[in-house]
């Protein structure tokens, strides 16, 4: 991923050096470089110093590799041809009159796809109990969609009766992006959702300090369950039945666990104690059987949170209101102009 990303960075500078046929404005290049290290001193730098042989001086910088647009594209592509098409559509910057310049304008897609050809094959690994698993791709959920690759998920669906996949960054951000981006783009229709909770996390939501989490506090768990309720309500908007898995640890008391079980019952949601961290698959047998039954029941009526033809601003507003409880969203003119620019450039039907 990093090599393919930085190849495009090098091709951009090489394109400028040899005449800049696309009229790319060096002040408006949006494509940075990446490295697999969060080095803050390299976030904003000046490159091209040292005379004519080293190109033209300009501002640039480094992002962390998993924040690369290549990583997000890699995980949404369905085959090599689709991967090359998506790479070709990358906007690398703008001309002086604000027309977008794409990766295809610097002849990058073919070479980048060749570099990614072997990486595009999912990595088959096994769990400690010899179950097959694909580990493939990892875009950040705070700047991308936070899901493993479409090709890994679709391959797994051809090989197994049940496929479990993770939506990173919590059941608000992670699940929303999994449903609204990955499922929408890949045509996936999930049959069940497992929402993971811990007593420690709910205590913290209930106001308990980190160094006080070892003591029983059923009142704090009860207060913290309001956070769990919000996640349950959020997930219910997508039409997929929810089951709560309580990731149980030795310090958790029966009283605290019972608070969670009874709270979930108010929402007609079953909660299961899970001790897989200690007992492996044996510790989640009851949960697994229930989720399999739910998946087979045909209860799911999956739908995305918003339609493609909503404006980008209204999509962002709808997410903020329905998932995060906002009354409205506001932004300064620079941000609103960016929304308008995306719409004008033809991206209005994209998920956000």
């Amino acid at each position: 991923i990093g090599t393919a990303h930085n190849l495009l960075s090098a091709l951009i500078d090489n394109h400028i050096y040899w005449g800049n046929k696309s009229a790319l404005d060096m002040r408006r290049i949006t494509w940075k470089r990446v490295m697999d290290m969060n080095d803050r001193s390299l976030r904003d730098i000046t490159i091209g110093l040292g005379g004519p042989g080293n190109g033209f001086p300009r501002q640039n910088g480094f992002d962390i590799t998993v924040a690369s647009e290549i990583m997000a594209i890699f995980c949404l592509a369905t085959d090599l041809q689709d991967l090359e098409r998506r790479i070709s559509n990358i906007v690398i910057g703008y001309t002086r009159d604000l027309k977008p310049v794409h990766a295809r304008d610097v002849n990058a897609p073919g070479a980048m796809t060749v570099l990614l050809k072997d990486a595009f094959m999912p990595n088959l690994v096994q769990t400690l109990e010899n179950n097959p698993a694909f580990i493939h791709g990892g875009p950040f959920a705070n700047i991308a969609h936070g899901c493993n690759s479409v090709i890994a998920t679709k391959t797994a669906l051809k090989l197994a009766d049940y496929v479990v996949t993770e939506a990173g960054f919590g059941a608000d951000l992670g699940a929303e992006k999994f449903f609204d981006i990955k499922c929408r783009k890949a045509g996936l229709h999930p049959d069940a959702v497992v929402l993971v909770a811990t007593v420690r996390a709910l205590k913290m939501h209930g106001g308990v300090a980190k160094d006080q989490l070892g003591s029983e506090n059923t009142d704090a768990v009860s207060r913290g369950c309001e956070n769990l309720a919000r996640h349950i309500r959020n997930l219910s908007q997508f039409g997929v039945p929810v089951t709560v898995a309580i990731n149980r640890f030795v310090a958790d008391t029966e009283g605290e666990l019972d608070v969670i079980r009874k709270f979930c019952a108010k929402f007609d949601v079953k909660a299961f104690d899970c001790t897989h961290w200690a007992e492996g698959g044996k510790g989640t047998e009851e949960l697994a059987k229930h989720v399999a039954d739910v998946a087979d029941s045909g209860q799911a009526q999956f739908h995305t949170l918003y339609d493609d033809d909503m404006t980008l601003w209204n999509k962002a507003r709808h997410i903020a209101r329905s998932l995060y409880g906002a009354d409205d969203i506001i932004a300064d003119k620079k941000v609103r102009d960016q929304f308008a620019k995306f719409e004008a450039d033809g991206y209005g039907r994209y998920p956000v």
Side-chain angles (χ1 to χ4, degrees), residues 108-174:
M112 293 172 67
T113 304
V114 169
L115 277 178
L116 295 168
K117 179 170 65 70
D118 291 334
F120 198 61
M121 293 184 286
N123 305 300
L124 180 63
V125 300
Q126 61 178 328
T127 68
L128 291 174
E129 295 180 340
N130 311 116
N131 294 307
F134 287 124
I135 308 296
H136 198 221
F140 272 4
N142 55 337
I143 55 91
H145 60 291
C147 310
N148 75 326
S149 74
V150 167
I151 198 168
T153 302
K154 286 194 167 184
T155 302
L157 286 166
K158 294 178 180 178
L159 299 174
D161 295 321
Y162 302 97
V163 174
V164 179
T165 189
E166 181 188 17
F169 257 73
D172 40 19
L173 180 63

Side-chain angles (χ1 to χ4, degrees), residues 119-322:
F120 198 61
M121 293 184 286
N123 305 300
L124 180 63
V125 300
Q126 61 178 328
T127 68
L128 291 174
E129 295 180 340
N130 311 116
N131 294 307
F134 287 124
I135 308 296
H136 198 221
F140 272 4
N142 55 337
I143 55 91
H145 60 291
C147 310
N148 75 326
S149 74
V150 167
I151 198 168
T153 302
K154 286 194 167 184
T155 302
L157 286 166
K158 294 178 180 178
L159 299 174
D161 295 321
Y162 302 97
V163 174
V164 179
T165 189
E166 181 188 17
F169 257 73
D172 40 19
L173 180 63
E176 186 272 318
K177 289 189 171 186
F178 173 75
F179 290 139
D180 283 330
I181 299 177
K182 181 175 179 178
C183 290
R184 183 195 305 263
K185 291 296 184 182
L188 300 173
H189 293 84
D191 295 303
V193 172
V194 177
L195 176 60
V196 181
T198 66
V199 168
R200 284 171 61 88
L202 294 176
K203 278 183 185 177
M204 292 181 77
H205 284 300
V208 176
K210 192 173 182 180
D211 58 357
Q212 302 293 318
L213 293 173
S215 303
E216 183 180 53
N217 192 329
T218 56
D219 289 339
V221 174
S222 182
R223 292 193 300 272
C225 278
E226 285 304 314
N227 179 273
L228 184 62
R230 184 75 205 195
H231 285 302
I232 292 172
R233 286 196 295 269
N234 283 347
L235 290 169
S236 68
Q237 296 181 72
F238 296 95
V240 185
V242 179
T243 302
V244 170
I246 306 172
N247 195 2
R248 181 174 183 172
F249 295 93
V250 289
D252 302 340
T253 68
E254 189 60 34
E256 291 170 331
L257 294 164
D258 198 47
V259 169
I260 302 173
R261 297 188 202 106
K262 289 179 178 177
F263 187 84
C264 291
K266 296 177 183 176
F267 294 85
D268 198 25
V269 169
K270 289 193 175 182
F272 293 87
D273 294 0
C274 300
T275 55
H276 46 289
W277 70 274
E279 299 180 288
K282 180 183 176 183
T284 56
E285 279 186 16
E286 191 179 4
L287 170 71
K289 289 175 180 176
H290 173 75
V291 172
D293 289 342
V294 171
D296 290 337
S297 70
Q299 294 179 45
Q301 300 292 322
F302 170 68
H303 52 83
T304 54
L305 194 64
Y306 52 81
D307 296 328
D308 287 335
D309 53 7
M310 287 177 68
T311 66
L312 295 178
W313 182 263
N314 284 337
K315 288 171 185 173
R317 174 193 282 137
H318 187 60
I319 292 170
R321 284 175 165 173
S322 58

